[in-house]
């Protein structure tokens, strides 16, 4: 059974004053047998990487450009994130897909750029409420995953299933729906790809244990509850198998 990965996505939150977070977190979790990742805004990656013991907490980016360098004002490349101290990069988050028109083809190119830089992509997929209500969720999400995965099989990929309607809304998918989707994604993974399957969307201290004990749920991608060290610590403690 894969070691669980509990990842925090700070989104566009956090400044230098927030770095106490790591002392608070470490004081609550001590030695746990779980992989921990925090993805702060790009401006904080270097400071976060300096603030943590990388053997205990990895730092990641929230997005990157498909190219390594060039005339792309405002963008950062996977290599730059690595240089700043990141070892993971989230790609294809639904907020990027919605706000920046990122298609699965773009997400795939980003995942390939992340792998080429020696980092690990966390590839996000998820259905909208309309897709779920019309019974299309499983087909849409499996298709999204297959279209977003790098061409070359790699065991250095993570996948996060995040129903769009569950992100930041407090509405969490039912354990039956999560189990069904994770089984479908696990069955659809191309041969040679061994990715951990994370669930994301309103994961909180009070629902983490039920979600993280499900088959084929290898961790969580946590937004809002990753901003508070005590909540994130509680989710981490609930992940221990
Ligand atoms: P949430 O966000 O936990 O605040 O719902 C999850 C995510 O967007 O990764």
């Amino acid at each position: 059974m894969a070691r669980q990965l509990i990842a925090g996505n700070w989104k566009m939150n956090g400044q230098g004053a927030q770095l106490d977070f790591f002392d608070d977190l470490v004081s609550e979790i001590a030695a746990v047998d779980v992989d921990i990742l925090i993805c702060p805004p790009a401006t904080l990656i270097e400071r976060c990487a300096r603030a943590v013991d990388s053997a205990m907490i990895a730092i990641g980016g929230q997005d990157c450009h498909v190219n390594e360098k060039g005339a792309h004002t405002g963008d950062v490349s996977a290599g730059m994130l690595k240089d700043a101290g990141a070892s993971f990069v989230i790609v294809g988050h639904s907020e990027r897909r919605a706000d920046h028109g990122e298609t699965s083809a773009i997400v795939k190119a980003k995942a390939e750029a992340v792998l080429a830089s020696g980092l690990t992509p966390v590839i996000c997929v998820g259905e909208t409420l309309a897709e779920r209500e019309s019974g299309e969720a499983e087909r849409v999400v499996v298709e999204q995953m297959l279209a977003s995965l790098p061409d070359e099989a790699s065991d250095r990929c993570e996948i996060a299933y995040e129903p769009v309607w569950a992100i930041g809304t407090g509405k969490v998918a039912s354990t039956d729906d999560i189990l069904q989707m994770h089984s479908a994604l696990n069955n659809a993974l191309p041969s040679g790809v061994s990715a951990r399957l994370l669930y994301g969307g309103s994961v909180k201290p009070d629902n983490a244990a039920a979600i993280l004990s499900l088959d084929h749920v290898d961790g969580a991608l946590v937004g809002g509850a990753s901003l508070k060290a005590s909540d994130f610590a509680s989710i981490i403690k609930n992940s221990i198998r």
Side-chain angles (χ1 to χ4, degrees), residues 89 167 177:
V89 186
I167 294 176
D177 287 346

Side-chain angles (χ1 to χ4, degrees), residues 2-185:
R3 205 172 137 103
Q4 298 239 16
L5 170 63
I6 307 298
N9 172 13
W10 284 3
K11 310 192 178 184
M12 199 170 72
N13 296 290
Q15 298 194 1
Q18 190 135 2
L19 296 185
D20 289 354
F21 172 92
F22 292 104
D23 286 341
D24 296 346
L25 181 64
V26 168
S27 72
E28 294 210 37
I29 56 176
V32 288
D33 192 21
V34 177
D35 290 337
I36 300 170
L37 167 65
I38 290 287
C39 299
T43 48
L44 281 185
I45 288 177
E46 183 156 6
R47 277 178 281 173
C48 288
R50 283 185 204 282
V52 300
D53 170 0
S54 61
M56 189 175 186
I57 302 174
I59 300 299
Q62 297 175 10
D63 175 52
C64 67
H65 196 273
V66 297
N67 292 340
E68 192 46 41
K69 62 181 178 168
H72 304 288
T73 302
D75 281 315
V76 293
S77 70
M80 290 168 176
L81 295 171
K82 182 182 186 186
D83 183 49
S87 47
F88 289 77
V89 186
I90 296 172
V91 292
H93 190 280
S94 66
E95 287 153 14
R96 302 275 330 161
R97 291 182 188 256
D99 296 353
H100 300 270
E102 290 189 9
T103 60
S104 292
I106 294 173
V107 175
K108 172 180 173 173
K110 290 187 174 195
E112 287 173 344
V114 172
L115 284 174
S117 291
L119 307 182
T120 300
V122 180
I123 302 169
C124 300
V125 292
E127 82 283 1
T128 62
L129 188 57
E131 287 162 342
R132 173 149 295 273
E133 285 175 344
S134 63
E136 295 290 291
E138 199 171 302
R139 182 189 60 76
V140 166
V141 174
V142 167
E143 273 177 22
Q144 239 181 37
M145 178 184 81
L146 294 176
S148 304
L149 274 169
D151 270 337
E152 215 168 287
S154 170
D155 58 3
R156 207 157 33 79
C157 277
E158 318 286 3
I159 292 166
Y161 165 55
E162 299 201 300
V164 176
W165 49 270
I167 294 176
T169 57
K171 289 187 203 146
V172 67
S174 72
T175 47
D176 280 353
D177 287 346
I178 298 172
L179 185 60
Q180 197 178 334
M181 187 64 81
H182 278 240
S183 303
L185 292 173

